[in-house]
Amino acid sequence: MIIGLFLIVFITGADSFIISPLLPAIVNDFSISISRAAFSITIYALCYACGSPFLGPLGDRLNRKALLKVGILVFLVGSFLCALANSISMFYIFRAIAGLGAALTLPNVWATIGAYFNGKRLNTVMGIVMSGLSLSIAVGVPIGTTLSQISDWHMAFWGSGLVTLIAFAVLLIVVPSMPIVNTKRSAYFASFKQLAKAPKAIYALLINFVWMFGFYSIYTFLGTFITQTFHLNTGQTGYVFIAYGLSNFAASFFGGEVTTRLGAKKSVILNGLLSVGFVLGLSIFSAGTYSDDFVFGIASPCPGIWGNGINDLYR
């Protein structure tokens, strides 16, 4: 079950993270500005952000395995359509579809973990599954950029779609059917009222928002920065992400144990401060490719551990 959930998180992460190193190729293919190409990331994120709060609670009223299947299928359709996009407008629409699929899938992954595990085991499993996001950067992004270098950027989404099919097959086999938790008609809207009355949850959401805002502000244009600064092709740019992804993967995988030992609040504060210091180091000490990779590599474990702490704060 953990492997199945891990694969789901891995493929959705790979599909969303692959955009950064592909932006220069998309710009050249559609003859558009970098800001117009980056808008595809904004559309995906908006559909995910707007869809998750409303699609996620459906897991309390419907079978979660059925929701996961529908979510992955929608995500799969979006990925394959992105591979067929021949204009930036169509690419926007298809990224929106993929974002809605992710919005239905990922919240129910976290809810499934919370329903089946508790205590120290919950933190451990959460860390393992979350590490799928980091591994998608270390493995998924380089593979996608290599495919795009062999052919063109569309090939990355063909590869993403094929891996999604594998994840879907694993889901059908290993994830058990999950019965309805709450059948009351008022349950759906009651969950929003309960959240509004929980100040700690609101603060945790705000922390997560600021953290993700900073992370994606840097990550989105990192591929373009590397391409323009060091004159690397799409495939080479993808390999630079291996250092970040592997360290973040290790931190996320073992982050549950760190959160258990330090506590959620201390974990968030400590790794948040370290993240700030290392990200500032990118601008201060980035005199060349070697120092960029070094600072980027040591900075990346912090978000992985921090993410585990924030998820624990929600509870």
Side-chain angles (χ1 to χ4, degrees), residues 44-69:
Y44 178 95
L46 284 175
C47 289
Y48 181 88
C50 294
S52 294
F54 299 100
L55 297 176
L58 292 177
D60 294 331
R61 298 172 59 83
L62 302 172
N63 190 300
R64 285 202 185 109
K65 182 173 183 177
L67 291 175
L68 287 173
K69 289 192 292 185

Side-chain angles (χ1 to χ4, degrees), residues 76-105:
L76 177 65
V77 170
S79 295
F80 277 138
L81 289 176
C82 284
L84 296 172
N86 56 11
S87 70
I88 190 60
S89 298
M90 297 304 296
F91 189 63
Y92 289 159
I93 296 173
F94 301 151
R95 289 304 291 165
I97 294 174
L100 290 174
L104 181 57
T105 302

Side-chain angles (χ1 to χ4, degrees), residues 23-236:
L23 282 182
I26 295 173
V27 167
N28 292 333
D29 190 20
F30 292 140
S31 300
I32 56 176
S33 64
I34 188 67
S35 60
R36 285 193 65 193
F39 189 61
S40 62
I41 300 176
T42 303
I43 291 176
Y44 178 95
L46 284 175
C47 289
Y48 181 88
C50 294
S52 294
F54 299 100
L55 297 176
L58 292 177
D60 294 331
R61 298 172 59 83
L62 302 172
N63 190 300
R64 285 202 185 109
K65 182 173 183 177
L67 291 175
L68 287 173
K69 289 192 292 185
V70 173
I72 292 179
L73 286 175
V74 173
F75 183 83
L76 177 65
V77 170
S79 295
F80 277 138
L81 289 176
C82 284
L84 296 172
N86 56 11
S87 70
I88 190 60
S89 298
M90 297 304 296
F91 189 63
Y92 289 159
I93 296 173
F94 301 151
R95 289 304 291 165
I97 294 174
L100 290 174
L104 181 57
T105 302
L106 290 181
N108 283 293
V109 168
W110 311 132
T112 299
I113 295 174
Y116 272 81
F117 305 97
N118 53 62
K120 294 182 178 180
R121 196 179 183 196
L122 174 62
N123 288 334
T124 301
V125 174
M126 185 69 74
I128 292 174
V129 175
M130 278 194 66
S131 67
L133 288 174
S134 307
L135 192 64
S136 69
I137 302 176
V139 178
V141 171
I143 291 176
T145 53
T146 300
L147 289 174
S148 67
Q149 187 64 35
I150 294 174
S151 180
D152 59 23
W153 63 268
H154 296 83
M155 187 59 67
F157 289 100
W158 284 117
S160 174
L162 291 176
V163 178
T164 303
L165 280 175
I166 296 174
F168 182 73
V170 174
L171 165 69
L172 295 178
I173 297 172
V174 303
V175 177
S177 179
M178 289 164 276
I180 300 171
V181 177
N182 196 330
T183 57
K184 296 180 180 178
R185 291 184 177 273
S186 60
Y188 180 87
F189 297 101
S191 60
F192 293 99
K193 294 180 180 179
Q194 184 179 5
L195 176 63
K197 295 178 180 179
K200 290 185 178 179
I202 298 298
Y203 290 141
L205 285 169
L206 289 174
I207 293 172
N208 202 25
F209 171 78
V210 174
W211 168 46
M212 296 304 293
F213 183 90
F215 170 78
Y216 278 105
S217 294
I218 294 176
Y219 184 88
T220 297
F221 297 102
L222 182 65
T224 303
F225 169 77
I226 293 172
T227 300
Q228 295 178 349
T229 304
F230 305 116
H231 309 291
L232 304 179
N233 60 37
T234 303
Q236 293 170 329

Side-chain angles (χ1 to χ4, degrees), residues 277-295:
F278 287 134
V279 169
L280 288 177
L282 283 171
S283 60
I284 297 174
F285 299 107
S286 58
T289 307
Y290 172 77
S291 59
D292 270 342
D293 288 345
F294 175 72
V295 178

